[in-house]
Amino acid sequence: MAAVVVAILDRDNWNANTDIIVVVDVSRRRLTWVPRDLWSPLISDRVNAAFAMGGGRLLLDALAGLGFSARSAVCLRRGASEAALAGARVNVPVSEPLDFWYPLTPTSRLEDGRQQVSFRPPAETLTGVRLHQWIGARSMVNGKGTDFHRMQRQIVFLRALIAQGFDFRSALKNPELVRVAGEDPLPLLARVSASWRMQEHDWVDDAVINGKMVLVPRKPKPWWRRQLRRLRDRLKMKRD
């Protein structure tokens, strides 16, 4: 089990929720973004509340209960990531025009005021607040935005950071803004490269539990449906 959880809190205090949760599976050379709204039976809440309830150890346990086992977790307050990206310039590819509603400041609520932010093909060079808008914007002007679109942009952003040789150790400079649970995660994290598979965990369904809009693991299809699909695929290949 050579895996590490990396989590970034949505506010600069230790009582905040984990806004970004990534499971780094070194044995499979894969990074998986876990939806923050995924329901955790262990804590009877969304998984992003686990750290605020019981620190990195509880976050690891909650993720393990959802099928994401890891030996350690490194959790960063928002200030750690902001300090690391303070002088960064990151060029990201943009495949289609993107228009979002975004809060007036990165840490304010959309309900308290909003502005439109846009990204245009073929690429954008992100600096300052534009970095946070790319990473965090969720509500599209056309109403189609979801947290999965946000995670997809985070994947694009991370690939770009790795490709340009960004020093990720800069996020760990201030020990007051970093907490580690379990084994030392740095030797495993140092192996990550831009060629690794990066994906969001989207095998989920919408649900309402305890009055909250959440995501739950999607039930696997019956074995006979999988077999039928495979048979259809084989017959189609023979016809082609």
Side-chain angles (χ1 to χ4, degrees):
M1 185 181 64
V4 176
V5 173
V6 178
I8 301 177
L9 280 65
D10 62 358
R11 294 291 184 271
D12 197 23
N13 63 74
W14 292 119
N15 297 319
N17 290 334
T18 46
D19 188 53
I20 299 173
I21 305 171
V22 181
V23 180
V24 182
D25 189 334
V26 177
S27 59
R28 293 182 174 87
R29 297 169 59 87
R30 180 179 68 193
L31 279 69
T32 302
W33 270 247
V34 179
R36 57 188 178 181
D37 292 336
L38 190 60
W39 181 259
S40 167
L42 177 66
I43 64 172
S44 296
D45 206 338
R46 300 182 180 101
V47 70
N48 70 338
F51 180 85
M53 291 180 178
R57 186 68 260 172
L58 185 58
L59 176 60
L60 286 170
D61 291 343
L63 288 169
L66 293 166
F68 301 99
S69 296
R71 63 173 60 170
S72 60
V74 54
C75 301
L76 311 175
R77 276 176 31 182
R78 187 184 182 99
S81 59
E82 288 183 343
L85 295 171
R89 294 178 59 87
V90 185
N91 188 266
V92 295
V94 182
S95 59
E96 60 180 341
L98 299 171
D99 300 291
F100 298 95
W101 293 121
Y102 193 75
L104 298 179
T105 68
T107 57
S108 61
R109 301 188 311 166
L110 199 64
E111 297 87 343
D112 297 332
R114 66 184 188 180
Q115 59 181 315
Q116 181 173 324
V117 297
S118 300
F119 304 97
R120 291 290 180 264
E124 290 270 0
T125 298
L126 308 175
T127 61
V129 71
R130 293 281 285 172
L131 290 166
H132 302 289
Q133 292 169 350
W134 176 268
I135 295 169
R138 175 176 177 174
S139 300
M140 298 190 73
V141 172
N142 62 13
K144 295 182 179 180
T146 70
D147 209 35
F148 293 103
H149 294 124
R150 188 179 70 105
M151 289 187 282
Q152 290 165 10
R153 294 196 313 277
Q154 290 170 2
I155 290 173
V156 170
F157 182 74
L158 180 60
R159 285 193 187 280
L161 281 180
I162 296 173
Q164 73 179 41
F166 181 78
D167 184 7
F168 290 92
R169 293 172 299 178
S170 60
L172 309 176
K173 284 184 176 179
N174 187 344
E176 299 291 326
L177 304 179
V178 182
R179 288 186 180 174
V180 175
E183 301 177 15
D184 181 6
L186 298 186
L188 292 179
L189 293 176
R191 303 184 196 179
V192 178
S193 75
S195 64
W196 285 22
R197 181 179 179 184
M198 300 186 190
Q199 62 185 22
E200 68 272 10
H201 177 65
D202 59 0
W203 192 250
V204 294
D205 287 316
D206 295 321
V208 178
I209 302 179
N210 296 343
K212 295 182 177 181
M213 295 291 297
V214 300
L215 298 171
V216 295
R218 184 175 297 171
K219 294 180 180 180
K221 295 180 179 179
W223 67 269
W224 59 267
R225 291 189 62 180
R226 295 196 298 270
Q227 291 294 96
L228 181 61
R229 185 184 69 247
R230 290 170 185 163
L231 178 60
R232 285 201 305 264
D233 291 342
R234 286 198 294 267
L235 291 174
K236 182 179 179 181
M237 289 178 64
K238 288 181 179 180
R239 289 197 300 269
D240 295 342

